[in-house]
């Protein structure tokens, strides 16, 4: 990639250099440094450049006699010059902005990109998943892996939710990578909550699956907050060997007032995130390992549908109960709502919990269909409403997940 770009001409020059050096990479991503949730992303497919096809043909032709032909400095320089001219006219026409509601065109996007800085990165061809990890770096240097989850995107590169636990790569791989990165962060004087985004893809060159770290979020992330609510409702522990979340089955013989073992030993002053990292030896000794139950969740923490503003709290949750959209506190599964704002604001979050990931996905899907049935899908735009609803994009993402598990 190419970091620390502050001029439009630098963008053209850096992109031309990257395309020339890695002529087979199909897509390049632009990222504004201080944006979040994919709002500052844009991407460009090199298939839009006529020069790329010609350069690939030239490489194939001349590399037969000389394997090092494409790496020659004069060849690379010539390719860069041809690409820059092509990019100056084509880039602004063919680039795709991930957040068009924020940056309406390339001119506005570049203005912000060059003001705060940004990077260009390669996008793998065969992406298999986008897992992420949330960690806590203590002032003492102790590092705790809080959770790992797969990110859900409503549209390309636009984060809209998470699926826990992550299934994209072996847990030991993402755990090792996340801990190593956080150790480097601590060495640089960074402490506190950290979120690390990864992408996993199939590398045809090595015929293996690879894991790249692609983004660093210093602070408490949205997915960490979703996990905190889940952990509060479950009162269990993460198995550090597998990344699975385990709970003790409900004990109907518990006496009122007895200290609940389902709390996982949380003390009154402990952080809900700090105390969630390991499966406690105490609970494992009380309940045999094979008797513990697994829990998964799918979370969409910010669903915006302006029509929700027409619903009253009492009427909305009464309808939820009548349609079976609820959370069972005893079974510890079902649908919980994350109320980040009043319904009048048209915003709500959903946490679907199940014993398996397919059940959690179905729980969220059922809730979204319920909302669709109550307020519809069409956006009844008000006089002062300038924000586009993301409801249909999220509904489509859940339908896509449902199709994959069937």
């Amino acid at each position: 990639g190419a970091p620390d770009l502050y001029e439009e001409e630098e963008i053209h020059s850096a992109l031309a250099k990257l395309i020339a050096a890695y002529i087979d990479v199909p897509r390049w991503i632009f990222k504004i440094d201080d944006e979040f949730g994919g709002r500052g992303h844009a991407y460009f497919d090199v298939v839009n450049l006529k020069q790329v096809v010609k350069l690939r043909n030239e490489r194939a032709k001349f590399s037969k006699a000389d394997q090092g032909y494409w790496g020659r400095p004069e060849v690379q320089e010539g390719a860069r010059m041809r690409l820059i001219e092509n990019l100056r006219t084509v880039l602004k026409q063919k680039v795709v902005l991930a957040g068009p509601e924020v940056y309406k065109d390339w001119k506005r996007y570049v203005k912000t990109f060059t003001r705060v800085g940004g990077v260009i990165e390669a996008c793998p061809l065969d992406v298999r998943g986008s897992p992420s990890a949330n960690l806590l770096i203590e002032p003492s240097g102790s590092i705790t892996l809080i959770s790992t989850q797969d990110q859900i995107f409503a549209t390309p590169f636009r984060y809209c939710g998470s699926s826990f636990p992550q299934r994209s790569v072996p847990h030991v791989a993402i755990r090792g990578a996340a801990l190593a990165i956080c150790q480097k962060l601590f060495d640089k004087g960074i402490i506190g909550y950290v979120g690390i985004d990864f992408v996993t893809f199939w590398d045809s060159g090595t015929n293996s699956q690879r894991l790249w770290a692609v983004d660093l979020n210093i602070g408490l992330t949205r997915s960490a907050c979703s996990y905190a609510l889940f952990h509060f409702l479950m009162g269990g522990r993460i198995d550090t060997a597998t990344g699975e979340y385990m709970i003790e089955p409900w004990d109907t013989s518990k006496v009122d007032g007895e200290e609940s073992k389902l709390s996982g030993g949380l003390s009154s002053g402990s952080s809900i995130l700090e105390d969630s990292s390991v499966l406690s030896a105490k609970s494992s000794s009380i309940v045999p390992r094979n008797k513990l139950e697994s829990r998964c969740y799918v979370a969409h923490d910010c669903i915006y549908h302006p029509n929700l503003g027409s619903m009253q709290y009492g009427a909305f949750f009464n309808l939820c109960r009548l349609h079976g959209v609820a959370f069972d506190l005893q079974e510890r599964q079902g649908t919980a709502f994350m109320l980040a704002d009043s319904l009048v604001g048209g915003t709500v979050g959903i946490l679907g919990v199940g014993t398996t990931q397919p059940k959690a996905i179905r729980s969220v899907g059922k809730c979204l269909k319920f909302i669709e049935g109550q307020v519809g899908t069409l956006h009844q735009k008000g006089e002062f409403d300038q924000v586009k609803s993301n409801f249909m994009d999220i509904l489509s993402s859940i339908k896509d997940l449902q199709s994959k598990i069937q």
Side-chain angles (χ1 to χ4, degrees), residues 1 8 27-28 106 129-130 172 174 177 201 215 291 309 356 371 386:
E8 186 170 6
R27 175 176 289 179
W28 294 91
W106 175 249
S130 299
V172 64
I174 192 170
F201 62 97
D215 215 342
K291 297 293 184 181
T356 63
I371 293 175
Q386 300 295 325

Side-chain angles (χ1 to χ4, degrees), residues 70-87:
W70 195 248
R72 292 180 183 177
E74 66 273 15
V75 173
Q76 284 289 300
E77 181 62 26
R80 285 197 293 270
M81 296 304 295
R82 290 162 62 181
L83 286 167
I84 283 179
E85 292 302 318
N86 204 178
L87 284 169

Side-chain angles (χ1 to χ4, degrees), residues 268-321:
S268 59
S270 66
S271 163
I272 199 167
L273 290 177
E274 291 174 7
D275 202 43
S276 66
S277 59
V278 294
L279 193 64
S280 68
K282 180 180 179 182
S283 64
S284 298
S285 64
I286 297 171
V287 180
R289 176 77 175 202
N290 61 354
K291 297 293 184 181
L292 294 174
E293 298 178 357
S294 176
R295 287 294 184 273
C296 307
Y297 73 80
V298 172
H300 287 285
D301 59 348
C302 186
I303 300 172
Y304 177 62
H305 195 322
N307 298 358
L308 278 171
S310 64
M311 301 286 291
Q312 297 294 322
Y313 266 127
F316 179 77
F317 288 110
N318 185 51
L319 286 169
C320 287
R321 185 170 64 254

Side-chain angles (χ1 to χ4, degrees), residues 174-186:
I174 192 170
R175 183 176 188 273
L179 292 175
I181 291 171
C182 281
Q183 185 58 58
K184 291 295 184 182
L185 292 176
F186 178 75

Side-chain angles (χ1 to χ4, degrees), residues 97-346:
L97 305 177
E101 75 281 7
V102 184
Y103 306 103
K104 298 184 183 299
D105 52 41
W106 175 249
K107 183 178 180 180
R108 290 181 174 89
Y109 181 84
V110 168
K111 183 178 180 180
T112 303
F113 190 103
T114 54
R115 178 173 58 84
V116 302
V119 301
I120 303 175
E121 296 177 353
C123 180
L125 179 62
D126 188 6
V127 175
R128 299 293 178 89
S130 299
S132 66
N134 294 307
L135 303 98
L136 174 63
I137 306 174
E138 301 277 6
S140 63
S142 175
I143 301 171
T144 301
L145 178 62
I146 296 169
S147 67
T148 58
Q149 52 280 315
D150 283 314
Q151 299 180 91
I152 302 173
F153 300 99
T155 55
F157 309 110
R158 292 302 302 273
Y159 173 88
C160 71
S162 57
S163 174
F164 171 92
Q166 68 84 26
R167 307 286 189 189
S168 299
V169 295
H171 180 69
V172 64
I174 192 170
R175 183 176 188 273
L179 292 175
I181 291 171
C182 281
Q183 185 58 58
K184 291 295 184 182
L185 292 176
F186 178 75
D187 293 342
K188 292 182 177 294
I190 296 174
I191 60 173
Y193 290 108
V194 173
I196 305 171
D197 296 338
F198 296 88
V199 64
T200 178
F201 62 97
W202 187 260
D203 187 347
S204 58
T206 60
N207 200 32
S208 62
Q209 188 174 2
R210 298 186 64 184
L211 182 69
W212 282 356
V214 295
D215 215 342
L216 185 64
N217 305 291
I218 306 297
L220 197 61
T221 65
R222 290 166 60 181
S223 60
C225 294
S226 297
Y227 174 80
L229 174 60
F230 167 76
H231 178 56
F232 173 76
L233 293 171
M234 296 298 106
R237 284 292 187 275
I238 285 182
D239 184 338
T240 55
T242 65
E244 300 284 336
Y245 194 95
M246 311 301 292
I247 65 170
E248 298 176 19
W250 184 265
D251 186 356
T252 56
S253 65
K254 285 184 182 292
V255 180
D256 290 341
E258 180 185 353
E259 182 180 356
S260 173
K261 297 183 180 65
L262 292 174
S263 67
L266 279 173
S267 64
S268 59
S270 66
S271 163
I272 199 167
L273 290 177
E274 291 174 7
D275 202 43
S276 66
S277 59
V278 294
L279 193 64
S280 68
K282 180 180 179 182
S283 64
S284 298
S285 64
I286 297 171
V287 180
R289 176 77 175 202
N290 61 354
K291 297 293 184 181
L292 294 174
E293 298 178 357
S294 176
R295 287 294 184 273
C296 307
Y297 73 80
V298 172
H300 287 285
D301 59 348
C302 186
I303 300 172
Y304 177 62
H305 195 322
N307 298 358
L308 278 171
S310 64
M311 301 286 291
Q312 297 294 322
Y313 266 127
F316 179 77
F317 288 110
N318 185 51
L319 286 169
C320 287
R321 185 170 64 254
L322 292 175
H323 286 79
V325 179
F327 186 82
D328 190 320
L329 288 171
Q330 181 169 320
E331 294 296 327
R332 281 170 287 175
Q333 55 184 312
T335 305
F337 288 95
M338 297 181 274
L339 302 177
D341 194 2
S342 167
L343 281 182
V344 175

